[in-house]
Amino acid sequence: MNSSALKDYIQTNKQDFLDQLFTLLRQRSISTQNDGIEECAELLKGMMEELGIETKIIPTAGHPVVYGELIKDPEAFTLLIYGHYDVQPPEPYDAWESPPFEPQIRNGKIYARGVGDNKGQLMAQLFGVKSYLNTVGDLPINIKFVFEGEEEKGSTNLAAFVKEHKDLLQADLVYTSDGPSHNSSSPLVLLGVRGMLSIQFDSKGADRDNHSGNTGNIVPNPAWKLIELMHTMRDADGHVKIEGFYDSIRPFTAYEEQLLTKLPYDKKSLGEKIGYPDLSMDGPSYYQKMTGEPTFNIFGMESGYTGEGTKTIIPSTARLKMDIRLVVDQDPNDIFEKIQKHVQAYAPDVEVTYLGSMQPSRTRAELPIVQKVISAVENAYQTDPLIQPSMGGSLPDYVWTGILGLPSIIVPYANFDQHNHSPNENLDVDYFLNGINCTAHVIHTLGTAK
């Protein structure tokens, strides 16, 4: 493959690529609100068909999957590319410097809801295929595309879709571009994800709010009940005290541990990028905690009065919500049962509600096909990529590794500071173009896979 010709083609067609991306970004597709989903699926289908991809919209019990394929030879190596066309809600609107569904370029970055997560990365994959076809010629492999519309609401129906369409989705490797690149700006290869369990705790006191003086020490405060319950579940050092919580965790292999030691770490720079300049941990601790350990995070708590001034009450109810990130081989259902058992022992009148979950996933770094992709990324960026055994966040990667039994690799094409899920979500234009180039290199390298 002529790398120079490929780069020239991408630069020559840069504006056309941006124009098509902007068309997709203008289309709302908020899965949690069912806002624009059907329209976005149809728009994406049309764009794929214009590239010569045989495409169809396949319904699920929720939002549809846009499926496409380019089949060279049924016996040839088959790559399955995964992405999602749904986006997060844009609120709060007043925190955006420009309207979230009116993409703009400022200081070399595209600003719009969904540009980094995941429409920009999705389109980079499609344009990578187009660039390969128009500079090299026929594809050396088969490519299948699965773009879902529910990732931002937990990929609720993706597992059922994969189980139902196992024959259609037969492949040799799954390739995803999602999430941010490394904070050092180096290209990144991710080989797994943490899973997630979301739960809700509800506590009740009196039938109504009470005067905190007249009934203080008399009526129980449900907020304190939840706080005291949390203290029985986690100690001051962050260790989870629920019995059996850590039982099933799969440790890193020696090679994976070695990969972690090669990841760069600049405490000051990272602290500034995440908005926490007091970051104090060292590099090995940072990567171990982010990739190899579960979390036990409270993401919301409400009770009583939090408005301006005071309102001296004993609240009647309290609610707390958690997302617990899990690592291979923790099972969300097993962890939920253990939490229920713990609550029954320490606060049996607290109601525990399951809100959703996602299985963790990991592909072995030692696999030859993994090394193939690493070499392709190296050729695309002309530098050694960083290899991370797992990412800190969660994606439905388990549907590929667990249900289809395939190796799965994630190569993010977005900048670290993309602000995904936040106002002013952005994607650096150069990252977008580099993603197109990288996709073409991956296709070419996999053409030599056996």
Side-chain angles (χ1 to χ4, degrees):
M1 183 174 69
N2 187 327
S3 297
S4 296
L6 175 64
K7 286 187 175 181
D8 288 345
Y9 177 85
I10 293 170
Q11 282 298 324
T12 300
N13 290 273
K14 170 182 172 180
Q15 191 57 53
D16 179 53
F17 293 156
L18 289 172
D19 289 344
Q20 291 187 62
L21 171 59
F22 278 29
T23 297
L24 190 64
L25 292 171
R26 292 188 186 100
Q27 174 58 58
R28 301 170 71 96
S29 53
I30 306 169
S31 54
T32 56
Q33 300 171 0
N34 195 18
D35 183 355
I37 289 292
E38 299 288 342
E39 295 86 348
C40 191
E42 288 290 347
L43 176 61
L44 180 57
K45 175 177 180 286
M47 289 178 162
M48 292 169 66
E49 288 174 335
E50 286 182 8
L51 296 175
I53 300 169
E54 186 178 337
T55 309
K56 57 185 174 181
I57 294 177
I58 303 179
T60 72
H63 300 324
V65 167
V66 181
Y67 173 82
E69 59 182 31
L70 288 166
I71 303 299
K72 164 191 169 64
D73 176 355
E75 301 300 318
F77 186 96
T78 299
L79 176 67
L80 192 157
I81 292 178
Y82 164 77
H84 64 93
Y85 63 88
D86 65 319
V87 304
Q88 283 278 321
E91 288 86 352
Y93 281 95
D94 58 4
W96 286 81
E97 294 183 23
S98 54
F101 295 103
E102 297 178 19
Q104 291 185 13
I105 295 179
R106 300 191 299 273
N107 300 317
K109 291 184 176 182
I110 310 162
Y111 286 85
R113 172 53 88 225
V115 65
D117 187 16
N118 178 245
K119 291 178 178 177
Q121 303 199 59
L122 180 159
M123 292 301 285
Q125 293 168 324
L126 292 176
F127 292 146
V129 175
K130 178 178 181 177
S131 298
Y132 187 94
L133 288 169
N134 289 339
T135 56
V136 181
D138 292 340
L139 294 175
I141 61 174
N142 304 320
I143 305 180
K144 298 179 179 180
F145 304 86
V146 173
F147 298 136
E148 69 156 320
E150 295 186 317
E151 196 275 344
E152 298 295 3
K153 58 184 294 186
S155 297
T156 315
N157 294 288
L158 185 61
F161 169 82
V162 172
K163 289 175 182 176
E164 183 180 351
H165 299 281
K166 268 188 174 183
D167 291 340
L168 179 69
L169 302 177
Q170 284 301 308
D172 297 290
L173 173 70
V174 178
Y175 184 82
T176 300
S177 296
D178 201 346
S181 296
H182 193 266
N183 65 82
S184 67
S185 300
S186 296
L188 179 63
V189 176
L190 296 161
L191 301 176
V193 300
R194 286 197 287 200
M196 183 169 65
L197 169 65
S198 297
I199 52 179
Q200 176 177 303
F201 300 86
D202 285 286
S203 175
K204 191 176 185 308
D207 289 339
R208 58 180 174 82
D209 293 348
N210 269 262
H211 188 291
S212 62
N214 294 341
T215 56
N217 297 332
I218 309 299
V219 173
N221 188 316
W224 277 115
K225 185 175 292 186
L226 290 185
I227 291 170
E228 289 158 0
L229 174 62
M230 289 298 110
H231 280 297
T232 70
M233 300 173 83
R234 178 184 181 272
D235 65 23
D237 295 325
H239 181 82
V240 179
K241 297 190 287 184
I242 297 167
E243 185 177 354
F245 183 80
Y246 296 100
D247 283 356
S248 302
I249 293 177
R250 184 198 310 173
F252 287 131
T253 65
Y255 177 58
E256 289 167 337
E257 287 183 348
Q258 182 184 7
L259 291 174
L260 289 179
T261 66
K262 295 180 179 179
L263 295 172
Y265 180 75
D266 184 329
K267 180 172 63 179
K268 183 175 183 298
S269 174
L270 178 61
E272 291 173 352
K273 288 179 178 178
I274 64 175
Y276 183 60
D278 295 331
L279 182 67
S280 60
M281 66 181 64
D282 58 28
S285 299
Y286 169 78
Y287 286 112
Q288 176 62 32
K289 287 181 178 297
M290 184 181 68
T291 65
E293 296 180 10
T295 69
F296 203 70
N297 178 59
I298 298 171
F299 69 81
M301 187 173 183
E302 61 181 12
S303 182
Y305 178 74
T306 59
E308 185 177 352
T310 63
K311 184 181 182 184
T312 51
I313 59 168
I314 300 172
S316 60
T317 62
R319 171 172 289 175
L320 183 147
K321 292 189 175 187
M322 300 189 73
D323 70 302
I324 302 167
R325 304 286 170 155
L326 304 173
V327 295
V328 178
D329 291 305
Q330 288 180 301
D331 180 357
N333 293 324
D334 174 62
I335 296 298
F336 180 68
E337 290 175 4
K338 288 172 177 173
I339 290 172
Q340 283 183 308
K341 184 177 179 181
H342 182 97
V343 172
Q344 187 63 33
Y346 287 90
D349 55 341
V350 170
E351 182 181 357
V352 185
T353 305
Y354 168 90
L355 299 179
S357 66
M358 189 176 290
Q359 295 279 351
S361 172
R362 191 185 301 162
T363 292
R364 290 196 303 117
E366 297 88 345
L367 292 177
I369 195 63
V370 171
Q371 298 302 315
K372 278 270 188 187
V373 173
I374 291 172
S375 69
V377 176
E378 179 183 351
N379 289 333
Y381 290 92
Q382 291 297 293
T383 187
D384 290 338
L386 303 174
I387 298 89
Q388 198 169 294
S390 178
M391 66 187 290
S394 303
L395 287 172
D397 197 54
Y398 74 97
V399 302
W400 318 122
T401 59
I403 298 174
L404 291 185
L406 299 176
S408 178
I409 299 175
I410 302 163
V411 181
Y413 291 163
N415 36 293
F416 179 77
D417 57 346
Q418 65 169 314
H419 293 192
N420 54 332
H421 293 206
S422 299
N424 302 308
E425 180 177 351
N426 66 86
L427 176 63
D428 192 296
V429 173
D430 286 340
Y431 275 74
F432 172 61
L433 300 177
N434 287 337
I436 297 172
N437 182 56
C438 185
T439 300
H441 275 82
V442 169
I443 291 169
H444 187 74
T445 301
L446 291 177
T448 66
K450 296 182 180 179

